[in-house]
C-alpha cells in the first residue's frame, strides 16, 4: 500500500457544521462531512438524543446498540432543547459562527422556531443550510411525513424491485435516506465552492424522492418518447444479456455480467464454446437481448458443472466480470477488502475494536478517516458552549437546571 498521508491533511477540517434532526438522511450527510474532517456538532434533545442511538442490533457483550457507532462517528454531541426559546436563542448564536447547518425536520419546523434561513443568514450571510426531507421545501406534498419507504416508491425504485409475479419489494436498506444524505453532502460542497466566489451561502434542498428519481437512469425518457414503462424483472435487466445470477455446483450463485460484445466473446471462450460468439442469435447486443432466456440457459448449464469459486476464478482469468453474492462474513474474510482497508476496526467507547466501513471515496493526498465512533449523548455540550460562545460554568449549570441542555 502507498505511504499514508499526514494525519493532519484532512480536507474539511476548517469547516464548522451544526447537524439538527434525527434518523438517517440528515445525519448521513453529516457523517460524510465529518469523515472528511469537518467539525460536526450533533444537536440532540436532552435526555433521549437521536433515535438512531436505539436502532439496529445490540452488541452481544455490552448490550449497546451498534448502528450509532457508525452514523455518529467523527461527530461531537451537544444537547439542546430547540422547543424552548432559550434553546432557539443558543442555536441562533451557534449558527452565527457556523459554516453549515444540516436539518431534516418537516418543512415549516425551523420557521416556527425562528430558525429559518432568512433569520439565520442575517447574522451569517455565508451560512449554508442543508435541508433534507422526503418531498422538499415546496410543492403540494411538502408538509407530508416522508420516510424512505414511501419516497423510494414515489421515486420509482419500489416498482422496479422484485419479480413481476409478486408485489414490489423493498431494498434491504434505507437507500433513499442515504441517497438524500449523499446528495445533501454533494450540494453542500457545490454551495461551498460558490461561496468562495460570492461570499454568500444558500439553501441546499435535498429530497428523498428526487434522490431516488435521480438514480432511475432513462426511465422517464423511455416512457415519454417510446411509451415504455419499465417493469420488475427479478434478477436480470430485460434486454441485457448475459447478465444474471447463475447457479453453481456447490449451491451458490455467481453473478456474471458479459453483455458487451468483446466480453461475451471471452465468456464463450472460457466456457469452451467460442462459436456462440458468432451465432446470429447471440452475435450482437440486440440479438442477445432478444434471446435472453436461451443464452441464460446456456450459461447456467456451464456454471452448474463447477463450484462457484472455480467459476469466478476461470472468468477472472478470462477478463469476464464475475463474483459471488457477499454477506458480511464474506466481506470481512475477503483479501481484496483487507488489502484496501475497505473495512477497518475502530475502538468503541469501551475500547473494544469494532469493524465498520471505511471512508469513501478515497483521496490520494487528503483522505478522510475515522477518528472515533459515535459519541455519548451530550458528551461535548460544555466544551462547545464554552469554546464557541464563551459560556461560564455558572451559565451552563443554569441551562442544565432549566433542561435547556
Amino acid at each position: 500500500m502507498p505511504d499514508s498521508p499526514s494525519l493532519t491533511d484532512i480536507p474539511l477540517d476548517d469547516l464548522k457544521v451544526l447537524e439538527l434532526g434525527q434518523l438517517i438522511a440528515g445525519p448521513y450527510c453529516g457523517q460524510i462531512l465529518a469523515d472528511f474532517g469537518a467539525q460536526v456538532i450533533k444537536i440532540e434533545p436532552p435526555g433521549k438524543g437521536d433515535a438512531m442511538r436505539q436502532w439496529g442490533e445490540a452488541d452481544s457483550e455490552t448490550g449497546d446498540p451498534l448502528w450509532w457507532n457508525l452514523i455518529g462517528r467523527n461527530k461531537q454531541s451537544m444537547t439542546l432543547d430547540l422547543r424552548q426559546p432559550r434553546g432557539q436563542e443558543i442555536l441562533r448564536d451557534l449558527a452565527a459562527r457556523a459554516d453549515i447547518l444540516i436539518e431534516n425536520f418537516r418543512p415549516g419546523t425551523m420557521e416556527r422556531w425562528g430558525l429559518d434561513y432568512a433569520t439565520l443568514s442575517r447574522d451569517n450571510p455565508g451560512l449554508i443550510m442543508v435541508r433534507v426531507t422526503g418531498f422538499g421545501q415546496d410543492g403540494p406534498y411538502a408538509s407530508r411525513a416522508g420516510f424512505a419507504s414511501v419516497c423510494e416508491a414515489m421515486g420509482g425504485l419500489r416498482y422496479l424491485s422484485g419479480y413481476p409475479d409478486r408485489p414490489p419489494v423493498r431494498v434491504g436498506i434505507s437507500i433513499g435516506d442515504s441517497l438524500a444524505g449523499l446528495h445533501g453532502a454533494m450540494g453542500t460542497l457545490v454551495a461551498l465552492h460558490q461561496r468562495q466566489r460570492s461570499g454568500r451561502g444558500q439553501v441546499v434542498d435535498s429530497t428523498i424522492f428526487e434522490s431516488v428519481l435521480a438514480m432511475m437512469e432513462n426511465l422517464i425518457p423511455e416512457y415519454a418518447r417510446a411509451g415504455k414503462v419499465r417493469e420488475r424483472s427479478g434478477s436480470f435487466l430485460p434486454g441485457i444479456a448475459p447478465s444474471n445470477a447463475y447457479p453453481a455446483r456447490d449451491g451458490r450463485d455467481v453473478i456474471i455480467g458479459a453483455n458487451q460484445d468483446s466480453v461475451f466473446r471471452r465468456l464463450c471462450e472460457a466456457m469452451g464454446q467460442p462459436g456462440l460468439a458468432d451465432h446470429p442469435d447471440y452475435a450482437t447486443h440486440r440479438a442477445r437481448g432478444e434471446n435472453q432466456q436461451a443464452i441464460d440457459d446456456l450459461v447456467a448449464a456451464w456454471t452448474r458443472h463447477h463450484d462457484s469459486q472455480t467459476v469466478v476464478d476461470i472468468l477472472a482469468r478470462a477478463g469476464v466480470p464475475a463474483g459471488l453474492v457477499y454477506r458480511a462474513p464474506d466481506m470481512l474474510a475477503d483479501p481484496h477488502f483487507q488489502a484496501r482497508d475497505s473495512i477497518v476496526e475502530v475502538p468503541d467507547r469501551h475500547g473494544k475494536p469494532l469493524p465498520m466501513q471505511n471512508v469513501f471515496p478515497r483521496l490520494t493526498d487528503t483522505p478522510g478517516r475515522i477518528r472515533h465512533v459515535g459519541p455519548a449523548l451530550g458528551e461535548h455540550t460544555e466544551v462547545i458552549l464554552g469554546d464557541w460562545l464563551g459560556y461560564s460554568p455558572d451559565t451552563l449549570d443554569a441551562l442544565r437546571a432549566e433542561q435547556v441542555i
Side-chain angles (χ1 to χ4, degrees):
M1 296 182 63
D3 293 338
S4 298
S6 168
L7 291 181
T8 60
D9 293 334
I10 192 160
L12 303 183
D13 63 357
D14 59 337
L15 296 178
K16 293 182 176 180
V17 182
L18 301 175
E19 179 193 298
L20 284 60
Q22 299 188 40
L23 301 177
I24 302 172
Y28 184 62
C29 176
Q31 179 193 323
I32 294 170
L33 300 179
D35 282 349
F36 286 97
Q39 182 186 13
V40 177
I41 309 300
K42 172 79 176 176
I43 307 292
E44 303 183 72
K48 56 182 180 180
D50 192 329
M52 291 303 297
R53 291 181 177 275
Q54 306 303 322
W55 278 32
E57 296 296 322
D59 188 303
S60 58
E61 294 183 10
T62 67
D64 296 336
L66 292 164
W67 197 344
W68 172 251
N69 291 289
L70 179 65
I71 201 165
R73 72 187 189 188
N74 291 330
K75 301 176 186 178
Q76 296 175 295
S77 172
M78 172 185 162
T79 54
L80 187 64
D81 188 350
L82 295 176
R83 291 171 173 79
Q84 293 196 43
R86 183 69 172 114
Q88 296 159 9
E89 178 185 344
I90 292 171
L91 195 283
R92 283 190 287 271
D93 290 341
L94 292 170
R97 294 158 174 80
D99 295 286
I100 300 155
L101 185 149
I102 303 167
E103 64 93 5
N104 66 331
F105 300 114
R106 211 182 281 195
T109 302
M110 295 290 282
E111 286 75 8
R112 287 196 302 275
W113 290 340
L115 303 175
D116 54 282
Y117 185 71
T119 298
L120 298 180
S121 63
R122 278 201 298 267
D123 292 330
N124 184 359
L127 180 68
I128 294 165
M129 178 182 279
V130 186
R131 313 195 73 173
V132 186
T133 58
F135 301 104
Q137 297 301 311
D138 54 16
Y141 304 157
S143 63
R144 293 184 181 181
F147 275 22
S149 56
V150 175
C151 296
E152 288 165 10
M154 184 174 170
L157 180 61
R158 183 69 71 99
Y159 187 76
L160 294 180
S161 300
Y163 289 84
D165 59 341
R166 290 172 240 177
V169 301
R170 183 176 186 177
V171 177
I173 55 174
S174 299
I175 187 67
D177 281 327
S178 299
L179 285 172
L182 184 63
H183 278 88
M186 180 177 69
T188 300
L189 299 179
V190 173
L192 283 167
H193 183 72
Q194 176 60 23
R195 191 178 73 175
Q196 290 180 330
R197 298 175 173 178
S198 68
R200 298 194 61 84
Q202 58 184 298
V203 174
V204 177
D205 183 357
S206 179
T207 74
I208 300 174
F209 92 93
E210 287 168 327
S211 295
V212 172
L213 176 64
M215 302 294 107
M216 290 297 100
E217 301 176 348
N218 64 333
L219 179 147
I220 299 299
E222 278 186 349
Y223 172 72
R225 291 297 181 88
K228 172 70 174 180
V229 175
R230 285 204 192 185
E231 301 289 345
R232 291 186 293 283
S233 56
S235 62
F236 64 91
L237 293 177
I240 308 297
S243 182
N244 209 333
Y246 300 95
R249 182 170 58 189
D250 56 7
R252 295 192 69 176
D253 288 330
V254 180
I255 306 299
I256 301 174
N259 46 290
Q260 199 265 343
D261 289 351
S262 60
V263 180
F264 177 65
R265 184 172 294 277
R266 294 198 292 271
L267 172 63
C268 294
E269 292 170 354
M271 294 193 305
Q273 303 179 64
L276 285 177
D278 296 312
H279 191 286
D281 287 348
Y282 313 125
T284 66
H285 174 81
R286 187 170 297 278
R288 289 191 296 275
E290 292 171 350
N291 295 280
Q292 189 158 23
Q293 185 60 58
I295 199 168
D296 275 349
D297 290 344
L298 288 169
V299 176
W302 174 71
T303 59
R304 284 194 184 95
H305 286 90
H306 304 279
D307 288 341
S308 54
Q309 189 60 55
T310 301
V311 173
V312 171
D313 293 341
I314 291 172
L315 296 184
R317 290 191 296 269
V320 176
L324 303 178
V325 179
Y326 274 15
R327 302 168 302 132
D330 304 306
M331 298 173 190
L332 287 165
D334 187 276
H336 191 72
F337 280 68
Q338 294 169 2
R340 287 182 57 84
D341 290 328
S342 301
I343 296 173
V344 293
E345 290 188 340
V346 183
D348 65 15
R349 293 199 298 276
H350 304 284
K352 178 184 174 183
L354 176 66
M356 65 174 63
Q357 302 95 307
N358 208 338
V359 178
F360 313 117
R362 301 169 185 271
L363 278 66
T364 55
D365 294 336
T366 56
R369 71 177 189 274
I370 304 171
R371 302 179 296 286
H372 57 79
V373 299
L377 178 61
E379 181 178 339
H380 305 94
T381 302
E382 294 185 3
V383 172
I384 295 162
L385 291 177
D387 289 350
W388 283 40
L389 304 182
Y391 282 10
S392 68
D394 289 343
T395 301
L396 292 170
D397 288 343
L399 290 173
R400 192 171 289 107
E402 296 167 7
Q403 298 184 323
V404 175
I405 61 174

